């Protein structure tokens, strides 16, 4: 029985407009302090809110009133913004 012919495939090269640029390939990893800062902000925000509720709105800053909630949630939102820069 005769042997079938083997076809050689051409090597695929993507078009130049689809190829990633050299700058995307050389992106550096995130610094070590970035995830540490993000976790610290999350912990500080949660701790701020817990202290606020457990102290019956007397601490951390009694004069701020409900703005203490904005500080706690603001710290957590800031951590999300920091984490968006993590590679």
């Amino acid at each position: 029985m005769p042997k079938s012919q083997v076809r050689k495939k051409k090597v695929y090269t993507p078009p130049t407009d689809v190829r990633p640029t050299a700058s995307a390939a050389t992106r550096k990893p995130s610094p070590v302090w970035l995830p540490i800062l993000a976790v610290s902000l999350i912990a500080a925000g949660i701790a701020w809110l817990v202290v606020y509720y457990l102290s019956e709105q007397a601490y951390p800053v009694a004069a701020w009133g409900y703005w203490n909630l904005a500080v706690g949630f603001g710290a957590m939102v800031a951590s999300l913004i920091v984490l968006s820069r993590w590679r």
Side-chain angles (χ1 to χ4, degrees):
M1 178 169 240
K3 190 175 179 182
S4 63
Q5 293 181 351
V6 177
R7 295 185 209 164
K8 293 192 176 194
K9 292 184 177 181
K10 294 181 182 178
V11 176
Y12 174 74
T13 55
T16 57
D17 58 340
V18 179
R19 290 184 196 167
T21 60
S23 64
T26 60
R27 294 181 80 177
K28 296 179 182 175
S30 299
V32 175
W33 56 266
L34 195 132
I36 296 170
L37 174 65
V39 171
S40 301
L41 282 171
I42 290 172
I46 291 172
W48 190 282
L49 292 174
V50 167
V51 167
Y52 178 69
Y53 277 115
L54 291 180
S55 68
E56 297 175 356
Q57 303 173 358
Y59 295 106
V61 182
W64 289 357
Y66 287 111
W67 282 103
N68 284 301
L69 296 175
V71 171
F73 285 114
M76 290 188 281
V77 168
S79 72
L80 290 175
I81 293 169
V82 169
L83 282 174
S84 70
R85 303 296 300 165
W86 193 16
R87 289 184 214 122

